Amino acid sequence: EDLPIVLLGLSQPRVLSLALAILLLLSYAIVLLGNLSIILTIRAEPRLAASPMYYLLGNLSLVDLCYTSVTTPQMALGLLSGHATISLGECLAQLFFLHFLGCTEIFLLTAMAYDRYVAICQPLHYTAIMSCRTCARLVAGSWMGALAHSLVQTLLATTLPYCGPNHIDHYFCDVAPLLGVACTDTSLVEILVVSNTGAISLGCFLVLLVSYGVILAALRRRSTEGRLKALSTCTAHLMVVAIFFGPCIFIYTRPFSTIPADKVVSLLATVVTPMLNPLIYTLRNTEMKGAMRRLWGRWVRAEK
């Protein structure tokens, strides 16, 4: 029998539920608008579409769009309707896609750091190293690696017997709160999850820190203008990395014990980060802002 799971995070007083639902729907609209704008702008500008950096950014925007769609609409509808119950099958499906898309974002951010490393530290070989084939392989590797990771997480969760209590103190399904519903010892599964998700999060974060350290050291040899332009791009990447990896490391690199902060931190990763990414990458990027203005201008002229 498919055990119904009650998400206590969605069981709030009516006024608070409405306020939270409106905030979630507004943030979701911003995520859709911002990330679709980036994807359409890159596709409409051949020069951007041919650039490895913007090719990777377009893929990151697609992942962000899908990633927040896994949880935000369901949370908003649950708060509006007062229906806080989800079946175990739906819970496991949400867990799968949450880890699949979240891990894809981790690998894509690492690939973007590699792109910036090559562009700044080996500029003469950049075109040869970051060819179309290399970019396609980096993106395909990110998706395939994330798929393998998520399958492991989901299979670990499906092997457990679930008998209650069927209450999860969270806004959506994730491994840590779901293990609390299992009616068996989950110590081994916890160790495997931490060694899987935690190692990926922390490992990629350390790789990113080292790569940006090397980049900053290399920038000292650049002219002031070149240094400022490279710093602007790298700063945007570092801001996204800090906002996304912080919650992942906080949640998945420690023993599982659900604390109130987990819910807020999870919302940072699944709602706030996809909403901020377009703002960070466009507001700090003159080239992207110019391309968006041109695209908007073409649409306005076409409407007249």
Side-chain angles (χ1 to χ4, degrees):
E1 188 179 346
D2 204 0
L3 181 74
I5 305 292
V6 180
L7 299 169
L8 296 178
L10 301 180
S11 302
Q12 303 291 342
R14 191 62 186 158
V15 175
L16 181 58
S17 291
L18 286 172
L20 288 173
I22 290 168
L23 282 174
L24 285 171
L25 289 173
L26 282 174
S27 67
Y28 188 56
I30 293 169
V31 169
L32 291 178
L33 182 63
N35 286 291
L36 279 173
S37 296
I38 288 177
I39 293 168
L40 292 173
T41 302
I42 292 171
R43 287 182 64 87
E45 289 277 331
R47 189 166 52 83
L48 294 184
S51 164
M53 183 177 83
Y54 290 106
Y55 175 74
L56 293 171
L57 176 58
N59 277 276
L60 182 71
S61 293
L62 176 62
V63 171
D64 273 336
L65 208 156
C66 298
Y67 184 51
T68 195
S69 297
V70 173
T71 56
T72 307
Q74 178 256 330
M75 286 191 289
L77 289 174
L79 288 165
L80 284 172
S81 65
H83 186 69
T85 304
I86 184 173
S87 71
L88 180 61
E90 290 171 331
C91 186
L92 289 169
Q94 190 177 59
L95 186 155
F96 170 80
F97 285 107
L98 187 74
H99 279 265
F100 175 42
L101 294 162
C103 191
T104 304
E105 176 144 355
I106 286 176
F107 290 149
L108 279 175
L109 287 170
T110 308
M112 291 173 77
Y114 175 68
D115 170 71
R116 290 301 84 204
Y117 164 77
V118 176
I120 292 167
C121 298
Q122 301 184 52
L124 298 178
H125 304 288
Y126 179 70
T127 308
I129 295 173
M130 295 301 295
S131 62
C132 292
R133 179 178 291 184
T134 301
C135 290
R137 284 175 176 172
L138 286 171
V139 170
S142 297
W143 287 96
M144 295 303 292
L147 178 62
H149 156 77
S150 188
L151 283 172
V152 170
Q153 297 290 89
T154 310
L155 286 172
L156 285 172
T158 54
T159 57
L160 298 172
Y162 296 97
C163 55
N166 63 333
H167 296 79
I168 289 179
D169 188 18
H170 215 291
Y171 298 113
F172 52 83
C173 285
D174 201 357
V175 181
L178 184 60
L179 291 184
V181 182
C183 48
T184 186
D185 180 29
T186 59
S187 303
L188 179 60
V189 176
E190 287 183 25
I191 292 169
L192 291 172
V193 169
V194 169
S195 62
N196 183 356
T197 311
I200 289 173
S201 302
L202 190 58
C204 287
F205 182 66
L206 292 174
V207 168
L208 286 163
L209 287 182
V210 171
S211 64
Y212 281 115
V214 173
I215 287 170
L216 290 174
L219 285 176
R220 289 182 299 180
R221 299 191 294 271
R222 291 289 188 88
S223 64
T224 304
E225 185 182 350
R227 190 186 304 130
L228 289 174
K229 185 178 179 181
L231 271 175
S232 177
T233 305
C234 290
T235 303
H237 288 192
L238 281 169
M239 287 170 69
V240 171
V241 165
I243 295 168
F244 186 75
F245 276 85
C248 292
I249 292 170
F250 176 80
I251 293 170
Y252 298 112
T253 57
R254 60 181 173 83
F256 287 167
S257 57
T258 304
I259 57 175
D262 282 349
K263 291 190 290 183
V264 178
V265 172
S266 295
L267 286 179
L268 278 176
T270 56
V271 179
V272 178
T273 303
M275 183 172 62
L276 291 180
N277 279 2
L279 295 174
I280 292 170
Y281 281 116
T282 53
L283 292 178
R284 299 186 61 87
N285 191 317
T286 307
E287 199 172 18
M288 180 62 78
K289 283 190 288 187
M292 283 184 167
R293 278 194 293 268
R294 288 192 296 274
L295 181 62
W296 179 253
R298 287 202 294 270
W299 282 346
V300 170
R301 286 193 296 274
E303 289 295 319
K304 291 181 179 179

